[in-house]
Amino acid sequence: MRRAKVLTAIVVVGLGVAGLGAQRGGVRIPPTGTIKNVRENLYVIPGAGGNTTVFVAAAGVVLVDTKLANNGEAILNQVRTVSDKPVTMIINTHTHPDHNGSNDYFKAARPSVEIVAHENTKKWVAANPRSNPAMTPDRTFTDKTTLGTGKDRIDLYYFGAGHTNGDAFVVFPSVRAMCIGDLMAWNMAPLIDPATGGSVIALPDTLEKAAKGIKGVEHVIEGHGNVNTWEGFRAYTVFNRSLLTSAKNALARKETPEQALAELEKNPTFSVFLKEELLKDLEYGGTPKSRALINLNVAFQELKGEPVTTNFGPARGANPPPPPTGR
Ligand SMILES: [Zn+2]
């Protein structure tokens, strides 16, 4: 797994040093964007790494994810346009520094700010020498936990590995919304990070358990990019299951990942996940179609029990996708 670890280190370094609107390897990282209302007291701030979700509760503001480092002030400036309350809690969906990079700004301003994440995320933060203390969760959970009551209730769920093995689903029952972190970003096949326990084999199980186990959600805030719908999440779950099935079938027939991709393309309902255009403000990973091919290659390696070396591409036999952030 050495190469996978090295690749992850490269991306983590790249994400860690990338600044506002940075241009890195031809991939532009947009700056912290304008806060948008999702529903009632729930908002999302795009840009500068992962989406930051803002939940204005009675006692204070809860943030889900804090983007790349050095975006704390920009996040707070956006929060201040909708609430004067202090930020009292930060939930991190997973360990990557484009999601917990600006925790430190809020901890410095208010040491009682509580950082909450899955227990495996705490482990990965501890294992990364580039982590800072504010990335370390103060409170962790294993399968499910509930924070707050009544209208302020937040449910955290863990259903298994996918993007990493510490990906939290953050559900706000009062506004029928959830954050899904990088298990779903840009509505395309997700980046798989084997160095932090990610797995394309485990991913469909994890998504299906969530689709079954979480009730009453209409709005799905992706880790980067879109605010999707529950129906969109269900379609995405079916697509990721079919991607794995296609990989298994192709492997059994001694075919290639490209042939598995051709099989997936026969299903017109998957066209949104297999588009060939580069999406606007995309920070990593090429077109949806190239990301699907990357994950088919990852599936081949995982199914064969080989170390995963293709999770950032270029996929064999395809046009190489643009380099990921930080390379
Ligand atoms: Zn991530």
Side-chain angles (χ1 to χ4, degrees), residues 25-275:
V27 179
R28 196 186 77 92
I29 298 176
T32 296
T34 304
I35 195 166
K36 296 183 185 88
N37 187 239
V38 177
R39 181 166 176 161
E40 295 169 51
N41 54 331
L42 189 76
Y43 304 83
V44 64
I45 307 171
N51 283 325
T52 296
T53 296
V54 179
F55 185 59
V56 182
V61 173
V62 178
L63 301 180
V64 181
D65 290 345
T66 60
K67 308 191 179 297
L68 290 162
N70 304 315
N71 286 286
E73 190 177 352
I75 293 169
L76 188 63
N77 287 341
Q78 291 299 316
V79 171
R80 283 288 165 264
T81 66
V82 300
S83 175
D84 292 330
K85 292 178 181 174
V87 172
T88 51
M89 181 183 283
I90 294 170
I91 300 165
N92 290 133
T93 55
H94 63 291
T95 187
H96 289 152
D98 53 335
H99 294 261
N100 60 13
S102 295
N103 284 8
D104 55 350
Y105 177 87
F106 298 96
K107 266 286 201 199
R110 192 180 169 93
S112 63
V113 167
E114 197 171 26
I115 313 287
V116 186
H118 187 261
E119 62 173 5
N120 288 344
T121 291
K122 184 171 186 172
K123 186 177 87 180
W124 296 124
V125 166
N128 184 349
R130 294 186 172 269
S131 296
N132 66 50
M135 293 173 175
T136 302
D138 301 301
R139 197 203 290 205
T140 62
F141 75 104
T142 51
D143 296 326
K144 193 192 168 192
T145 194
T146 291
L147 310 163
T149 56
K151 265 182 75 80
D152 291 345
R153 175 172 162 171
I154 303 170
D155 293 325
L156 304 185
Y157 296 86
Y158 177 74
F159 290 109
H163 176 62
T164 70
N165 70 359
D167 305 308
F169 291 79
V170 184
V171 177
F172 305 94
S174 65
V175 288
R176 306 178 77 80
M178 79 174 179
C179 301
I180 189 169
D182 284 356
L183 282 166
M184 187 178 187
W186 305 111
N187 201 26
M188 61 185 185
L191 179 72
I192 301 296
D193 183 5
T196 56
S199 164
V200 83
I201 293 179
L203 176 72
D205 290 337
T206 298
L207 297 174
E208 285 165 5
K209 283 179 195 162
K212 237 179 142 173
I214 295 173
K215 309 277 182 216
V217 165
E218 294 171 14
H219 312 277
V220 177
I221 301 171
E222 299 179 26
H224 297 248
N226 309 313
V227 178
N228 214 311
T229 60
W230 183 256
E231 292 71 33
F233 165 63
R234 291 189 59 100
Y236 173 81
T237 299
V238 171
F239 169 70
N240 281 286
R241 168 61 68 196
S242 297
L243 187 148
L244 179 60
T245 303
S246 295
K248 284 179 178 169
N249 290 344
L251 205 54
R253 294 195 293 256
K254 300 199 183 336
E255 292 177 354
T256 63
E258 286 75 13
Q259 286 170 297
L261 182 66
E263 170 128 350
L264 273 178
E265 284 187 294
K266 287 180 192 161
N267 186 334
T269 64
F270 295 155
S271 62
V272 66
F273 307 111
L274 297 171
K275 283 192 285 198

